[in-house]
Amino acid sequence: MRAADTKNGSTPLFNIGVLPSIWGIYIAQGVLGGLTFAGLPTILRSQHVSLGKIGLLSLVMLIWAIKFLWAQPVERLRIAPTGRRHSCKIILRGECVTAGLLCVITFWSPQLFSGLLVLLLCAAVSATIVDIACDAFLIEQIPENEREKGNMAQVGGAYIGLVLGGSVFVSLYGVLGWRIGCFVMAFIVLSLTVPMLFYNQENREVFPVSPQELRPGLLNALRRGEIWCGIVLTIMYEMSGQLVQGLTGPFLIDQGISLNAVGIFNGIGGVVSGLCGTIAGGMMVSRAGAKNAMYMIAICHAVLLAVIFSSIKLHFLSTPILFSLFVCEATLMASSFVASYSRLMILTSPYQPGIDFTLFQSASAIAAALLGVSGSVMAGKIGYDKVFLFSFLLSIATIVLIPLINYFMRKYNYK
């Protein structure tokens, strides 16, 4: 924690009412993600839409990767010159736009893919605006020593939303059809914003007034050494997991496990392990602090990757062993997100937390995309075992480099 920020009045007393508000918003955000990346591909394929077109849905992920480009205007709209915050207004209006676009989609046939893709891209832009404002809202409304509760909402909300937008949406489509299914998703998004509608604590907080030279700005962030520390920490901490995360399904299929079993594992198993990891990560941060939690999770991840590599090399590849190992992998990934988010949030400036944290998330998304592609290409050329070995070596490098990053953070007066 930076000592200078403890005296500016920017850290509020913890109001328990903020938790239902942010849980609702992050679950709503997850609904759109689940619908786009889990529910829609299944439905589109059932309507005989080509795999090439379905693959274009990945363009929606690009919106999340480049959201830092519009973080500055969102943050300047969110923070008035007087220091007053308008996070709730932006969040509520953004969610209404997202729900409205889902209502428009109800009248758009899945076969008309181009128009559907444009609507989804617009919904993604609206969702990223909400995300920028909600992340800043979390940082400002929850004090540092309680922030893991908000980070659990960030990560856990995404997993719950994935179920609603993926499995539930597909089930609704199968029973009630496209139009009713989309309307229900829009209704769920609006319903989840209700706690935020009744949250009025933000208007009573006293926030620091930003000097003119510290007006929220992207360049202001990029000039600060602690932001670059956070970007490096984000990429470095997640690189070993992101390299192999997308290989779980293909690897299991190549081991002769049925597509149905892999689908159930990735669906139910992924969500359950993600939620368990979210809770475990929150408990570790609460008891040991974000910095120590990151160390512990990184060590556990290195050990797990070594076990996975050894299992592949020694051909200990029974279905129970594989499922157990990859459940542990998904659990640790979720835990790592909670811990790293808690750590990164202390690096944000009280004058522009939305911009600063968005830079970290964009760096994470871009790195995840590049590492995911790299992992698949490497697996095809050198084999799964060598990719997991390389991932293990990256995890060792992470453990070695974390103290170096923490050293530079101390130079900028962060513990």
PDB file of all heavy atoms in Angstrom, residues 212-231:
ATOM      1  N   GLN A 212      -5.463  19.726 -12.010  1.00  0.00           N
ATOM      2  CA  GLN A 212      -5.618  19.783 -13.458  1.00  0.00           C
ATOM      3  C   GLN A 212      -4.577  18.913 -14.169  1.00  0.00           C
ATOM      4  O   GLN A 212      -4.868  18.237 -15.147  1.00  0.00           O
ATOM      5  CB  GLN A 212      -5.512  21.237 -13.939  1.00  0.00           C
ATOM      6  CG  GLN A 212      -5.785  21.446 -15.426  1.00  0.00           C
ATOM      7  CD  GLN A 212      -7.195  21.027 -15.812  1.00  0.00           C
ATOM      8  OE1 GLN A 212      -8.121  21.128 -15.027  1.00  0.00           O
ATOM      9  NE2 GLN A 212      -7.343  20.517 -17.031  1.00  0.00           N
ATOM     10  N   GLU A 213      -3.330  18.947 -13.651  1.00  0.00           N
ATOM     11  CA  GLU A 213      -2.283  18.170 -14.305  1.00  0.00           C
ATOM     12  C   GLU A 213      -2.446  16.668 -14.073  1.00  0.00           C
ATOM     13  O   GLU A 213      -1.772  15.858 -14.716  1.00  0.00           O
ATOM     14  CB  GLU A 213      -0.892  18.614 -13.825  1.00  0.00           C
ATOM     15  CG  GLU A 213      -0.590  18.347 -12.353  1.00  0.00           C
ATOM     16  CD  GLU A 213      -1.061  19.479 -11.437  1.00  0.00           C
ATOM     17  OE1 GLU A 213      -1.865  20.332 -11.903  1.00  0.00           O
ATOM     18  OE2 GLU A 213      -0.612  19.524 -10.283  1.00  0.00           O
ATOM     19  N   LEU A 214      -3.324  16.277 -13.132  1.00  0.00           N
ATOM     20  CA  LEU A 214      -3.581  14.861 -12.866  1.00  0.00           C
ATOM     21  C   LEU A 214      -4.975  14.446 -13.308  1.00  0.00           C
ATOM     22  O   LEU A 214      -5.552  13.506 -12.775  1.00  0.00           O
ATOM     23  CB  LEU A 214      -3.392  14.565 -11.371  1.00  0.00           C
ATOM     24  CG  LEU A 214      -1.956  14.652 -10.840  1.00  0.00           C
ATOM     25  CD1 LEU A 214      -1.925  14.379  -9.363  1.00  0.00           C
ATOM     26  CD2 LEU A 214      -1.044  13.713 -11.596  1.00  0.00           C
ATOM     27  N   ARG A 215      -5.547  15.197 -14.270  1.00  0.00           N
ATOM     28  CA  ARG A 215      -6.831  14.786 -14.828  1.00  0.00           C
ATOM     29  C   ARG A 215      -6.730  13.376 -15.367  1.00  0.00           C
ATOM     30  O   ARG A 215      -5.687  12.995 -15.905  1.00  0.00           O
ATOM     31  CB  ARG A 215      -7.206  15.723 -15.984  1.00  0.00           C
ATOM     32  CG  ARG A 215      -8.401  16.610 -15.638  1.00  0.00           C
ATOM     33  CD  ARG A 215      -8.865  17.347 -16.852  1.00  0.00           C
ATOM     34  NE  ARG A 215     -10.154  16.841 -17.267  1.00  0.00           N
ATOM     35  CZ  ARG A 215     -10.687  17.029 -18.454  1.00  0.00           C
ATOM     36  NH1 ARG A 215     -10.018  17.674 -19.377  1.00  0.00           N
ATOM     37  NH2 ARG A 215     -11.864  16.579 -18.737  1.00  0.00           N
ATOM     38  N   PRO A 216      -7.773  12.543 -15.202  1.00  0.00           N
ATOM     39  CA  PRO A 216      -7.693  11.168 -15.684  1.00  0.00           C
ATOM     40  C   PRO A 216      -7.213  11.097 -17.131  1.00  0.00           C
ATOM     41  O   PRO A 216      -7.769  11.748 -18.016  1.00  0.00           O
ATOM     42  CB  PRO A 216      -9.135  10.672 -15.551  1.00  0.00           C
ATOM     43  CG  PRO A 216      -9.717  11.482 -14.452  1.00  0.00           C
ATOM     44  CD  PRO A 216      -9.077  12.834 -14.582  1.00  0.00           C
ATOM     45  N   GLY A 217      -6.167  10.333 -17.373  1.00  0.00           N
ATOM     46  CA  GLY A 217      -5.612  10.231 -18.716  1.00  0.00           C
ATOM     47  C   GLY A 217      -4.766   8.990 -18.883  1.00  0.00           C
ATOM     48  O   GLY A 217      -4.083   8.553 -17.948  1.00  0.00           O
ATOM     49  N   LEU A 218      -4.794   8.438 -20.068  1.00  0.00           N
ATOM     50  CA  LEU A 218      -4.020   7.240 -20.363  1.00  0.00           C
ATOM     51  C   LEU A 218      -2.523   7.517 -20.272  1.00  0.00           C
ATOM     52  O   LEU A 218      -1.756   6.713 -19.742  1.00  0.00           O
ATOM     53  CB  LEU A 218      -4.386   6.734 -21.761  1.00  0.00           C
ATOM     54  CG  LEU A 218      -3.866   5.367 -22.177  1.00  0.00           C
ATOM     55  CD1 LEU A 218      -4.346   4.286 -21.220  1.00  0.00           C
ATOM     56  CD2 LEU A 218      -4.302   5.052 -23.604  1.00  0.00           C
ATOM     57  N   LEU A 219      -2.091   8.674 -20.783  1.00  0.00           N
ATOM     58  CA  LEU A 219      -0.665   9.010 -20.720  1.00  0.00           C
ATOM     59  C   LEU A 219      -0.202   9.201 -19.282  1.00  0.00           C
ATOM     60  O   LEU A 219       0.951   8.884 -18.949  1.00  0.00           O
ATOM     61  CB  LEU A 219      -0.381  10.270 -21.546  1.00  0.00           C
ATOM     62  CG  LEU A 219      -0.492  10.105 -23.067  1.00  0.00           C
ATOM     63  CD1 LEU A 219      -0.224  11.434 -23.754  1.00  0.00           C
ATOM     64  CD2 LEU A 219       0.469   9.032 -23.576  1.00  0.00           C
ATOM     65  N   ASN A 220      -1.079   9.738 -18.430  1.00  0.00           N
ATOM     66  CA  ASN A 220      -0.728   9.870 -17.014  1.00  0.00           C
ATOM     67  C   ASN A 220      -0.395   8.518 -16.408  1.00  0.00           C
ATOM     68  O   ASN A 220       0.509   8.396 -15.572  1.00  0.00           O
ATOM     69  CB  ASN A 220      -1.876  10.514 -16.230  1.00  0.00           C
ATOM     70  CG  ASN A 220      -2.050  11.982 -16.555  1.00  0.00           C
ATOM     71  OD1 ASN A 220      -1.138  12.604 -17.088  1.00  0.00           O
ATOM     72  ND2 ASN A 220      -3.210  12.529 -16.245  1.00  0.00           N
ATOM     73  N   ALA A 221      -1.164   7.508 -16.805  1.00  0.00           N
ATOM     74  CA  ALA A 221      -0.907   6.163 -16.291  1.00  0.00           C
ATOM     75  C   ALA A 221       0.410   5.608 -16.828  1.00  0.00           C
ATOM     76  O   ALA A 221       1.222   5.052 -16.074  1.00  0.00           O
ATOM     77  CB  ALA A 221      -2.060   5.235 -16.669  1.00  0.00           C
ATOM     78  N   LEU A 222       0.638   5.756 -18.139  1.00  0.00           N
ATOM     79  CA  LEU A 222       1.806   5.153 -18.764  1.00  0.00           C
ATOM     80  C   LEU A 222       3.110   5.831 -18.360  1.00  0.00           C
ATOM     81  O   LEU A 222       4.191   5.280 -18.574  1.00  0.00           O
ATOM     82  CB  LEU A 222       1.647   5.186 -20.290  1.00  0.00           C
ATOM     83  CG  LEU A 222       0.494   4.337 -20.834  1.00  0.00           C
ATOM     84  CD1 LEU A 222       0.359   4.528 -22.329  1.00  0.00           C
ATOM     85  CD2 LEU A 222       0.690   2.864 -20.501  1.00  0.00           C
ATOM     86  N   ARG A 223       3.011   7.038 -17.767  1.00  0.00           N
ATOM     87  CA  ARG A 223       4.220   7.709 -17.283  1.00  0.00           C
ATOM     88  C   ARG A 223       4.661   7.206 -15.907  1.00  0.00           C
ATOM     89  O   ARG A 223       5.746   7.534 -15.449  1.00  0.00           O
ATOM     90  CB  ARG A 223       3.973   9.225 -17.197  1.00  0.00           C
ATOM     91  CG  ARG A 223       3.810   9.920 -18.534  1.00  0.00           C
ATOM     92  CD  ARG A 223       3.814  11.428 -18.348  1.00  0.00           C
ATOM     93  NE  ARG A 223       3.432  12.122 -19.568  1.00  0.00           N
ATOM     94  CZ  ARG A 223       2.252  12.711 -19.766  1.00  0.00           C
ATOM     95  NH1 ARG A 223       1.342  12.699 -18.795  1.00  0.00           N
ATOM     96  NH2 ARG A 223       1.977  13.311 -20.904  1.00  0.00           N
ATOM     97  N   ARG A 224       3.802   6.420 -15.244  1.00  0.00           N
ATOM     98  CA  ARG A 224       4.085   6.014 -13.869  1.00  0.00           C
ATOM     99  C   ARG A 224       4.718   4.623 -13.827  1.00  0.00           C
ATOM    100  O   ARG A 224       4.219   3.675 -14.432  1.00  0.00           O
ATOM    101  CB  ARG A 224       2.798   6.028 -13.038  1.00  0.00           C
ATOM    102  CG  ARG A 224       2.332   7.444 -12.763  1.00  0.00           C
ATOM    103  CD  ARG A 224       0.879   7.555 -12.351  1.00  0.00           C
ATOM    104  NE  ARG A 224       0.426   6.476 -11.516  1.00  0.00           N
ATOM    105  CZ  ARG A 224      -0.768   5.894 -11.675  1.00  0.00           C
ATOM    106  NH1 ARG A 224      -1.583   6.289 -12.624  1.00  0.00           N
ATOM    107  NH2 ARG A 224      -1.131   4.925 -10.866  1.00  0.00           N
ATOM    108  N   GLY A 225       5.823   4.533 -13.101  1.00  0.00           N
ATOM    109  CA  GLY A 225       6.549   3.275 -13.033  1.00  0.00           C
ATOM    110  C   GLY A 225       5.738   2.146 -12.426  1.00  0.00           C
ATOM    111  O   GLY A 225       5.868   0.986 -12.840  1.00  0.00           O
ATOM    112  N   GLU A 226       4.881   2.462 -11.441  1.00  0.00           N
ATOM    113  CA  GLU A 226       4.120   1.395 -10.794  1.00  0.00           C
ATOM    114  C   GLU A 226       3.130   0.727 -11.742  1.00  0.00           C
ATOM    115  O   GLU A 226       2.800  -0.455 -11.583  1.00  0.00           O
ATOM    116  CB  GLU A 226       3.390   1.911  -9.544  1.00  0.00           C
ATOM    117  CG  GLU A 226       2.363   2.995  -9.798  1.00  0.00           C
ATOM    118  CD  GLU A 226       2.924   4.379  -9.610  1.00  0.00           C
ATOM    119  OE1 GLU A 226       4.119   4.577  -9.926  1.00  0.00           O
ATOM    120  OE2 GLU A 226       2.182   5.255  -9.150  1.00  0.00           O
ATOM    121  N   ILE A 227       2.655   1.482 -12.738  1.00  0.00           N
ATOM    122  CA  ILE A 227       1.745   0.892 -13.727  1.00  0.00           C
ATOM    123  C   ILE A 227       2.492  -0.136 -14.566  1.00  0.00           C
ATOM    124  O   ILE A 227       1.980  -1.231 -14.849  1.00  0.00           O
ATOM    125  CB  ILE A 227       1.124   1.986 -14.614  1.00  0.00           C
ATOM    126  CG1 ILE A 227       0.223   2.896 -13.781  1.00  0.00           C
ATOM    127  CG2 ILE A 227       0.329   1.356 -15.766  1.00  0.00           C
ATOM    128  CD1 ILE A 227      -0.936   2.190 -13.106  1.00  0.00           C
ATOM    129  N   TRP A 228       3.720   0.181 -14.949  1.00  0.00           N
ATOM    130  CA  TRP A 228       4.510  -0.784 -15.710  1.00  0.00           C
ATOM    131  C   TRP A 228       4.870  -1.996 -14.862  1.00  0.00           C
ATOM    132  O   TRP A 228       4.931  -3.125 -15.373  1.00  0.00           O
ATOM    133  CB  TRP A 228       5.763  -0.103 -16.270  1.00  0.00           C
ATOM    134  CG  TRP A 228       5.429   0.837 -17.388  1.00  0.00           C
ATOM    135  CD1 TRP A 228       5.385   2.199 -17.343  1.00  0.00           C
ATOM    136  CD2 TRP A 228       5.035   0.459 -18.706  1.00  0.00           C
ATOM    137  NE1 TRP A 228       4.999   2.712 -18.563  1.00  0.00           N
ATOM    138  CE2 TRP A 228       4.768   1.668 -19.416  1.00  0.00           C
ATOM    139  CE3 TRP A 228       4.872  -0.753 -19.366  1.00  0.00           C
ATOM    140  CZ2 TRP A 228       4.365   1.673 -20.747  1.00  0.00           C
ATOM    141  CZ3 TRP A 228       4.461  -0.751 -20.694  1.00  0.00           C
ATOM    142  CH2 TRP A 228       4.221   0.448 -21.370  1.00  0.00           C
ATOM    143  N   CYS A 229       5.080  -1.777 -13.573  1.00  0.00           N
ATOM    144  CA  CYS A 229       5.273  -2.917 -12.669  1.00  0.00           C
ATOM    145  C   CYS A 229       4.046  -3.826 -12.695  1.00  0.00           C
ATOM    146  O   CYS A 229       4.165  -5.059 -12.749  1.00  0.00           O
ATOM    147  CB  CYS A 229       5.513  -2.429 -11.240  1.00  0.00           C
ATOM    148  SG  CYS A 229       7.170  -1.815 -10.911  1.00  0.00           S
ATOM    149  N   GLY A 230       2.862  -3.213 -12.648  1.00  0.00           N
ATOM    150  CA  GLY A 230       1.630  -3.987 -12.663  1.00  0.00           C
ATOM    151  C   GLY A 230       1.425  -4.731 -13.968  1.00  0.00           C
ATOM    152  O   GLY A 230       0.975  -5.879 -13.979  1.00  0.00           O
ATOM    153  N   ILE A 231       1.747  -4.088 -15.088  1.00  0.00           N
ATOM    154  CA  ILE A 231       1.600  -4.746 -16.392  1.00  0.00           C
ATOM    155  C   ILE A 231       2.527  -5.952 -16.492  1.00  0.00           C
ATOM    156  O   ILE A 231       2.126  -7.042 -16.912  1.00  0.00           O
ATOM    157  CB  ILE A 231       1.869  -3.738 -17.531  1.00  0.00           C
ATOM    158  CG1 ILE A 231       0.741  -2.703 -17.597  1.00  0.00           C
ATOM    159  CG2 ILE A 231       2.004  -4.460 -18.870  1.00  0.00           C
ATOM    160  CD1 ILE A 231       0.997  -1.563 -18.563  1.00  0.00           C
TER     161      ILE A 231
END
